[in-house]
Amino acid sequence: MEIYRSIQNLFRFGTSRFDGPALYGIFFLFGMGVVVMYSASVIPAEREFSDSNYYLNKQLLWGMIGIFSFLVFSQIPYQFLVRWSFLFSVFSLLLLISVFIPGLGKSVGTSYGRSFNRWIQIGGIQIQPSEFSKISILLFSSYFFYNFDFKKVKWDRKKIVSVLLIFATLVLIVIEPAFGTTIELLLVLFFFVLLAGFPMKRLFILGASVLPLLVVLVTQVGYRKKRLEIWLDPYKFRFDEGHQLVTSFRAFFDGGSFGRPVGSGYAHRYLAYSHTDFVMASFVEDFGFLGFFVFLTAVVFLFLRIYFLLLRTKDKLGFFLGSGILILFGFQTILNLFVITGIVPVTGISLPFLSYGGSSLITIFILFGILANITSKENLVL
C-alpha cells in the first residue's frame, strides 16, 4: 500500500511545500555524481596528490556548501532576487573583469598557445566567475524581458543600460574564453526573447545574421580551429590532442551493456579530465549503457517534473525565470553528452551534478534552490 501511495504521489502536485519527487531527483543525481566522480578521480588524485580521496573530499565539501545554498535560496522569494538582480549583475561583471587582474586572476596556458583566464585565486580557493554569472544573467534577463513589450518599444536609459550590461557580460565570458558558457547563455536569451513575444520570423532572421560571426569565432581563433579539426578526424590526432575524445569513444565501447569492474578501465588511467568534463565516459565504462540509461531517466524525469510544475505557476515572471533555469540545465546536460560522444566539438562544459568542480556544483544547487522557491506550493495553481 505504501509503495502504491508513493507511486501515486509521483503524479500529484502540491502535496507538500516543496515538490518531493523533484527533490528526490536532484539529490539522486548529486549522490550518483559523488559515486561517479570518485571512481573517475581516484587514479588522478593518487598520481597528482598522493591521496586517492583528494578530489572526493573537496567535492563533498563543495556539495555541502551547495546543499546549504540550495536550502537558503529555496527560502528567499524569487521576486526579491529579481528585484536586486541589477546589483548582482554588476557584481558578477566585476568578478569577470577580475580574472584578468594579475595576482587575482589565474591564467592557465594551453598546448594551443592560448592562455585561459577563467579563475580567481583567493588563498587556496579557486572560483570560476563565469559559472556564477549564469545566476545573475538569468535573474536580470528574465526580469528585463518579462517587462519588455516588443509591440511598444521605448528605448529609455534604463533599457539601454540593461542591454549593455548583458552584452558586456557575454563579451567578457567570450574573452576568457568560455565559449560553451556563452552559447548556453545565448540560448537562454533567445528563449526569453521568444517568450517576450518577439516575432519568430524576425528572430530567426536575426539569429541567422549572427551565424557568420559565430563561424568566424570558431574557425579563425587558433584553439577553436584546432578543436574543430580534431572533431572532424579525432583518430588522426589520437596520440596528442585527439587522445581525449578517442579515449572517450573507447570507454563507451569497453563499458558495453553492464560495465566493467569499477575503476579498472582504460579511461580511468588515461582519459584527461576524466572526473570533470568527461566524467560520463568513465561512468559508462564502469556501469555500461544500463547505468547511462538510469542517468538519462533521472535527468528526463527531473526535467519533465519541473516543467509541469512551472506550467502551474501563478506568476508569469516565475515562469520566465524558472523556464530559463530549466533550459540552461537541459542544454548544459545535452551539450556535455554531445561533446563526449563526438557529436559536437570539444568545449569546456561540465555535466550538472556529476562533474568535479566547486563553482559549477554550487551554481547548479543555487539555481535549483531558486526553482524550488518558484515551484513551491504557495506559488502554484492547484
Side-chain angles (χ1 to χ4, degrees):
M1 183 62 70
E2 289 298 323
I3 295 176
Y4 175 72
R5 288 176 180 173
S6 297
I7 294 174
Q8 274 190 322
N9 286 335
L10 291 177
F11 300 95
R12 292 177 178 173
F13 299 94
T15 56
S16 57
R17 187 187 175 198
F18 298 117
D19 188 68
L23 292 178
Y24 298 148
I26 292 168
F27 289 101
F28 174 79
L29 284 175
F30 172 62
M32 177 185 285
V34 171
V35 174
V36 173
M37 195 283 306
Y38 179 53
S39 171
S41 68
V42 167
I43 293 176
E46 184 66 37
R47 185 166 55 226
E48 296 171 25
F49 302 100
S50 300
D51 179 5
S52 59
N53 294 325
Y54 178 83
Y55 290 117
L56 173 66
N57 293 335
K58 294 196 73 172
Q59 189 78 344
L60 288 174
L61 174 61
W62 289 327
M64 287 188 288
I65 296 173
I67 292 171
F68 175 76
S69 301
F70 173 88
L71 295 174
V72 169
F73 278 86
S74 67
Q75 301 295 328
I76 302 174
Y78 65 89
Q79 297 91 339
F80 172 83
L81 295 174
V82 168
R83 197 177 306 125
W84 289 93
S85 60
F86 178 79
L87 290 180
F88 296 152
S89 297
V90 172
F91 180 68
S92 176
L93 191 69
L94 294 175
L95 287 178
L96 289 170
I97 293 172
S98 65
V99 302
F100 301 101
I101 299 175
L104 185 58
K106 181 181 179 181
S107 179
V108 177
T110 69
S111 59
Y112 307 108
R114 176 75 182 269
S115 294
F116 283 17
N117 299 275
R118 295 178 179 172
W119 301 271
I120 298 173
Q121 187 81 37
I122 304 176
I125 301 174
Q126 191 168 289
I127 300 171
Q128 191 171 355
S130 59
E131 284 293 328
F132 294 109
S133 69
K134 296 175 184 177
I135 303 170
S136 60
I137 282 287
L138 280 163
L139 289 170
F140 185 65
S141 58
S142 64
Y143 182 66
F144 174 76
F145 286 109
Y146 166 73
N147 290 298
F148 200 96
D149 187 352
F150 286 103
K151 295 178 181 178
K152 302 176 181 178
V153 179
K154 293 182 179 178
W155 288 99
D156 54 21
R157 181 183 299 176
K158 187 176 180 180
K159 285 188 175 65
I160 294 173
V161 170
S162 298
V163 170
L164 289 175
L165 182 58
I166 294 172
F167 179 75
T169 301
L170 292 175
V171 168
L172 285 171
I173 294 174
V174 169
I175 295 173
E176 286 190 357
F179 196 61
T181 301
T182 308
I183 296 297
E184 281 185 81
L185 294 176
L186 283 175
L187 181 71
V188 172
L189 292 173
F190 179 86
F191 180 75
F192 281 153
V193 171
L194 274 181
L195 279 182
F198 191 80
M200 189 172 294
K201 183 178 179 181
R202 293 183 182 178
L203 184 59
F204 278 103
I205 292 174
L206 180 62
S209 67
V210 176
L211 284 178
L213 176 60
L214 293 178
V215 171
V216 170
L217 287 174
V218 171
T219 60
Q220 300 303 314
V221 177
Y223 82 97
R224 293 194 193 109
K225 185 178 180 180
K226 186 67 174 180
R227 283 182 175 179
L228 185 61
E229 293 174 357
I230 294 168
W231 173 64
L232 292 173
D233 189 1
Y235 287 93
K236 179 181 177 181
F237 303 93
R238 63 186 180 278
F239 297 116
D240 39 66
E241 293 97 336
H243 176 74
Q244 185 177 352
L245 192 55
V246 170
T247 305
S248 179
F249 294 161
R250 176 170 174 171
F252 273 80
F253 178 80
D254 289 350
S257 297
F258 303 103
R260 298 167 57 90
V262 176
S264 67
Y266 179 86
H268 285 71
R269 298 191 301 274
Y270 301 112
L271 177 62
Y273 311 112
S274 59
H275 56 297
T276 56
D277 299 348
F278 277 71
V279 70
M280 182 50 63
S282 298
F283 174 64
V284 173
E285 190 176 55
D286 281 342
F287 300 101
F289 283 95
L290 178 61
F292 187 61
F293 176 75
V294 170
F295 166 76
L296 284 182
T297 301
V299 169
V300 171
F301 169 78
L302 180 60
F303 187 94
L304 291 177
R305 183 70 184 185
I306 294 175
Y307 170 72
F308 287 119
L309 284 167
L310 289 173
L311 290 179
R312 290 167 169 78
T313 53
K314 298 176 183 178
D315 183 16
K316 186 180 177 182
L317 175 60
F319 179 78
F320 257 69
L321 177 56
S323 298
I325 296 173
L326 196 59
I327 288 292
L328 185 78
F329 166 68
F331 181 71
Q332 184 169 335
T333 302
I334 291 171
L335 184 57
N336 178 275
L337 297 180
F338 278 10
V339 165
I340 65 170
T341 53
I343 297 175
V344 298
V346 172
T347 183
I349 202 79
S350 61
L351 185 60
F353 293 113
L354 271 72
S355 290
Y356 171 80
S359 297
S360 59
L361 184 60
I362 294 170
T363 294
I364 200 68
F365 265 121
I366 290 174
L367 290 175
F368 272 87
I370 296 171
L371 266 178
N373 184 266
I374 293 171
T375 58
S376 59
K377 186 175 181 179
E378 61 268 24
N379 292 327
L380 301 179
V381 176
L382 302 172

